[in-house]
Amino acid sequence: MTLARAVELARAADGRAYPKPTVGAVLVANGEVVAEGATEPRGRHAERVVLDEAGERARGATLYVTLEPCNHHGTTPPCVDAILAAGVERVVYGAHDPNPEAAGGAERLRRAGVDVEYVESFDARAVNEAWRTWVAKRRPFVIYKAAATLDGRTAVPGERWVSGEASRRLVHELRARVDAVAVGGGTARADRPRLDARDVATPRGQPRRLVFSKRPLPAGLDLELRSGPLAEELAALAADGVQSLLLEGGPTLAAAFLEADLVDKLLVFVAPTIAGAGAGLVAAIPSARTLTRLRARAVGEDVLLEAYVHEP
């Protein structure tokens, strides 16, 4: 339960340390929580937050932390150094560090005599799913978002929207939390979308607004054209600091990304409507994709289905 509390703290502080990962930590001594916290905006790590708060009470205590304590000099000295200096007796963590420069903290703590336990936690990984993919795969974490009717159509004849107002607002919140939003060339030319986050808080500023297309864009369309092979474009975006990409294109773009195995997560807003005709969610792909961690929740009158192609 204490590791779960560390995950809660990280979720509550989600994005606060961006572009660094957000980590939650809880320190327990003699069965009592003596300190808890999360990574701070300027990158002060969660471990140091709780150790500083606890002071001498950290000696002999157990530290629960969502991510393996770092073992390198970055914006701060290694957290392993602080843990050892504080006299922490036991460390429990929920996710390995995918960054080879920072990994190895758990092993170093063990060698120093600290009791270290890894408790695999999907939730601890998911808190930093975009950052983990960006670090490990050198490309952005890709989310494909679509709205569909109950019969799987992405348009309703005579209607501008498929999903309801609550779902559309949530999409703007999603845009505000990612680094880039993209559509395909067909959607860009037909709909001339803005792709910005509107009427919601944008602490990171507006996302980059992209079009994946091999053809030039029409005049007056204020979107960034990416015309190279998808894998190369994603690698270039990652090198430019783009950790997360929200795809809002149609079935053709979705199929291209799925065929290239470049989709990590799907978000499908299912509306209580039967269209009877029209394009489906995804154009034809060579083979099926098995999804994991399927969840469903109500968003207004719609149902949001969420699942992973690649878990973080």
Side-chain angles (χ1 to χ4, degrees):
M1 288 298 293
T2 311
L3 184 58
R5 174 57 182 163
V7 171
E8 288 179 4
L9 292 165
R11 281 179 175 160
D14 182 36
R16 188 167 71 185
Y18 175 85
K20 301 291 186 180
T22 301
V23 177
V26 178
L27 194 68
V28 176
N30 300 317
E32 176 188 355
V33 174
V34 295
E36 59 180 31
T39 312
E40 295 187 338
R42 294 185 179 179
R44 184 163 168 254
H45 292 193
E47 296 95 323
R48 292 182 175 274
V49 171
V50 298
L51 292 174
D52 289 348
E53 180 183 338
E56 283 301 312
R57 293 178 296 174
R59 192 159 302 278
T62 297
L63 174 67
Y64 296 85
V65 62
T66 54
L67 182 66
E68 177 184 7
C70 69
N71 189 36
H72 83 309
H73 284 268
T75 53
T76 65
C79 287
V80 168
D81 290 353
I83 292 168
L84 294 175
V88 171
E89 188 172 279
R90 183 168 178 253
V91 172
V92 180
Y93 69 100
H96 295 302
D97 194 328
N99 183 354
E101 294 181 0
E107 183 56 35
R108 185 176 161 211
L109 288 170
R110 288 191 183 98
R111 290 199 305 267
V114 177
D115 179 13
V116 179
E117 182 181 1
Y118 167 60
V119 178
E120 192 278 332
S121 168
F122 168 78
D123 291 334
R125 299 197 312 272
V127 168
N128 295 301
E129 58 191 11
W131 173 82
R132 295 184 68 84
T133 298
W134 179 68
V135 167
K137 297 185 177 181
R138 300 300 179 187
R139 65 166 176 80
F141 181 80
V142 177
I143 306 164
Y144 173 55
K145 183 278 302 179
T149 61
L150 278 175
D151 54 342
R153 312 295 181 176
T154 55
V156 177
E159 299 289 340
R160 180 181 180 187
W161 307 109
V162 174
S163 57
E165 183 178 348
S167 294
R168 297 197 300 274
R169 178 176 175 79
L170 181 54
V171 169
H172 284 280
E173 293 174 358
L174 288 168
R175 290 176 180 176
R177 288 163 42 197
V178 298
D179 296 321
V181 182
V183 295
T187 299
R189 295 179 186 93
D191 298 342
R192 302 183 73 88
R194 291 169 55 180
L195 302 183
D196 56 349
R198 299 187 294 277
D199 301 320
V200 296
T202 54
R204 298 188 194 178
Q206 290 290 343
R208 288 174 66 170
R209 298 168 298 130
L210 316 175
V211 178
F212 289 97
S213 177
K214 296 187 181 302
R215 293 169 50 198
L217 298 178
L221 192 58
D222 186 24
L223 300 174
E224 180 182 336
L225 179 63
R226 313 293 301 200
S227 56
L230 294 181
E232 292 181 13
E233 291 290 0
L234 292 192
L237 288 168
D240 205 22
V242 175
Q243 295 185 11
S244 52
L245 170 64
L246 179 65
L247 292 182
E248 296 193 22
T252 301
L253 184 67
F257 269 80
L258 284 166
E259 185 173 350
D261 201 25
L262 294 173
V263 175
D264 297 294
K265 189 176 186 178
L266 273 74
L267 299 176
V268 180
F269 295 88
V270 181
T273 306
I274 295 176
L281 280 171
V282 180
I285 56 177
S287 58
R289 295 290 185 271
T290 299
L291 309 180
T292 61
R293 307 281 179 178
L294 178 63
R295 296 191 299 175
R297 64 182 174 96
V299 179
E301 295 184 352
D302 304 328
V303 173
L304 173 58
L305 301 178
E306 176 181 333
Y308 287 85
V309 182
H310 301 294
E311 293 187 13

